[in-house]
Amino acid sequence: MTLTRTAAPSAVLESWLLDRPQLRTGPHAGGVLGGTGDDTATAYAYPEITGYYLTWLAFLETTRDAPDTGAVEERRAAAVTWLAEQLAAPGGPRTRSFLGAGDGTDWRNSALFSFDLGMVYRGACATGTGGGPADGTAAHRLRERTGAALDGLRDPDGAWAACVPLPGRAAPPARWSTVPGPHLLKVAGGVLALTPADEMPSVRSAARATLARHATGLAADLPAMSHPALYALEGLLQAEAGGHREHHGELVAAYRLLSDRAADGVLREEHGRPGSQVRTDVLAQLLRIGCVLAGRDELDAAGAEQLDAVAAALVEHIGEDGGLPFTRAESGSLHNTWCAMFAHQALAFHDRLTAGRAIPDSWIRLLV
C-alpha cells in the first residue's frame, strides 16, 4: 500500500501499522515484526512489540468515533493467539523469534526479561478492556500466564529483576536492559494502571515494590540514555493513572531535565554525547509525556512551546509509505514498528493538546 503525505501524519502511521508489521501467514502468524524492510534472515517477531501492538489497538479504538471493529478484532485475536503459543513454549517465550535461523545465536534469547513480559501483560490487560467476549477470555488467560511468568522474575525485595538466564545459559551481557533500573517503572506503571483491583495481587505487589525501588530519587540519578529514562517517566505517568501519585515531583523534575537536554526539539540518544543518534522512538516518548504535563499546566512557556518543534521533527521522519525509520540514517524502506506506534500516539496527544482538549485518562493508561 502506498500512501501520500496529503493525509494527516497520524492517519498515515495508522494505515501503515494496520497494514504492514503483523505477520498473516507462516509459523509466526499473528506475531508483530520489530520492523519491515529487513531480509528474512534478520527479520524477527517478538513478544514485547506484539504486546505493544495489543495496547496500541486498544488505544486506536479510543480515537475513533466509529472504529473499524472487524479490522481491530482480527489483528487482536491473531496477536493474542501467537503470544499464548510463545508463553506455552518450553522455557517460555523467546525474546526474538527470527524468521530465519538466528534464534539460537542471539544473546537476547538466553534469558527471560521482565520488561518484555511486562509489555505482554499490559497488552493482555488492554485487550481485556476493549475486546469482545471471546477475545476477553483469551486475553484473560494470557494475562494470568504472563503474570505467573513475571512472578518467577522477582528479586528478594519483591521488585522485578531485569532478567533471569534460561537453564544452562550464560547471563546476558551487562547493559541497561539486563540489570535492574528505572526502565522497569514502565512495567510497574502499566500493571498499576491496567490490572483490575481484585486480580493478580502478586503482580500488583511486585509493581509497588518496583515503583518504590526505582522512583525514589529518579531525577537526581536519571539515566544518560534517553530511551530508558523516558520509559521511567512513562511508568510514573501510568502509575499515577493507577492511583499512585507519590512520585509526581520526580516525574516533573525528570521531564524538565530531559526537556533541557533537547535542542530545537531534538533529544539525542545519550546525554553528554552530542553526536549520538536522534531516534524517532525517543522523540515520540518525549512528546507524549510533554503533552500530558503541558495539558496540566505543569510546563513553563518554553517547555510547552518546545513540543511543537518535537512534533515537527517527528513528522519530518515519516516516509511516503507511512513507515517510520528508527533513525534518520535508516530512512528509506527500513521502518520500525514500535517507533511508529509511539509516534502515532504522540501525534494524537499533540493534536489533542493543540486543539485545547484534555488528554483522556484512558489514553495515559494505554500508553504504548
Side-chain angles (χ1 to χ4, degrees):
M1 178 184 295
T2 300
L3 302 168
T4 67
R5 288 289 293 277
T6 57
S10 59
V12 171
L13 288 167
E14 176 186 321
S15 295
W16 186 88
L17 284 162
L18 288 173
D19 183 58
R20 298 294 297 276
Q22 188 176 39
L23 295 166
R24 305 293 178 85
T25 60
H28 292 294
V32 177
L33 295 170
T36 64
D38 292 329
D39 59 34
T40 303
T42 57
Y44 57 90
Y46 64 128
E48 177 192 349
I49 290 334
T50 308
Y52 276 148
Y53 198 67
L54 287 174
T55 303
W56 178 75
L57 289 172
F59 169 77
L60 181 62
E61 288 186 306
T62 71
T63 67
R64 295 172 161 188
D65 293 330
D68 182 357
T69 305
V72 170
E73 292 299 335
E74 176 187 353
R75 288 158 178 77
R76 174 183 285 140
V80 168
T81 298
W82 183 78
L83 285 168
E85 292 170 351
Q86 300 306 301
L87 265 292
R94 300 285 76 79
T95 302
R96 295 189 175 189
S97 294
F98 287 86
L99 306 190
D103 282 25
T105 59
D106 192 292
W107 64 266
R108 297 169 188 84
N109 285 339
S110 67
L112 289 179
F113 287 80
S114 58
F115 189 91
D116 295 50
L117 289 169
M119 298 310 105
V120 175
Y121 181 91
R122 291 161 79 248
C125 289
T127 298
T129 66
D135 233 3
T137 300
H140 185 79
R141 290 197 298 267
L142 177 61
R143 182 164 72 246
E144 288 185 330
R145 178 170 282 172
T146 309
L150 280 168
D151 278 342
L153 301 177
R154 297 175 70 169
D155 279 336
D157 67 351
W160 280 303
C163 62
V164 173
L166 294 174
R169 304 294 293 273
R175 301 192 179 185
W176 68 261
S177 60
T178 63
V179 297
H183 68 286
L184 295 176
L185 290 171
K186 184 160 182 173
V187 183
V191 166
L192 294 170
L194 293 168
T195 305
D198 58 346
E199 292 186 21
M200 310 298 291
S202 62
V203 178
R204 287 187 284 110
S205 172
R208 290 191 296 270
T210 302
L211 185 66
R213 179 198 274 190
H214 295 297
T216 303
L218 175 66
D221 196 23
L222 196 65
M225 295 289 293
S226 299
H227 187 49
L230 287 160
Y231 273 161
L233 273 59
E234 290 164 359
L236 292 184
L237 269 183
Q238 285 196 295
E240 289 189 356
H244 294 264
R245 292 185 54 84
E246 61 268 31
H247 301 290
H248 183 71
E250 297 288 352
L251 166 63
V252 175
Y255 177 83
R256 289 173 177 166
L257 286 173
L258 288 168
S259 181
D260 288 345
R261 294 177 185 177
D264 298 322
V266 172
L267 178 64
R268 294 192 175 271
E269 182 178 40
E270 187 170 356
H271 180 56
R273 291 184 56 203
S276 62
Q277 299 181 97
V278 176
R279 292 171 42 162
T280 57
D281 55 354
V282 166
L283 294 179
Q285 289 177 280
L286 186 70
L287 183 58
R288 286 190 299 194
I289 299 164
C291 285
V292 174
L293 296 180
R296 298 173 177 173
D297 293 324
E298 294 189 280
L299 299 184
D300 60 21
E305 290 174 4
Q306 183 188 66
L307 298 175
D308 291 339
V310 179
L314 191 57
V315 169
E316 183 183 321
H317 287 78
I318 301 173
E320 289 292 334
D321 66 350
L324 190 68
F326 184 63
T327 67
R328 184 184 297 277
E330 294 182 0
S331 61
S333 60
L334 191 63
H335 294 145
N336 183 283
T337 303
W338 72 82
C339 291
M341 287 188 279
F342 288 10
H344 172 267
Q345 196 169 59
L347 294 174
F349 278 41
H350 186 253
D351 288 346
R352 188 107 179 179
L353 179 69
T354 55
R357 302 171 65 195
I359 294 172
D361 179 72
S362 62
W363 285 17
I364 298 170
R365 290 178 184 271
L366 294 172
L367 274 172
V368 177

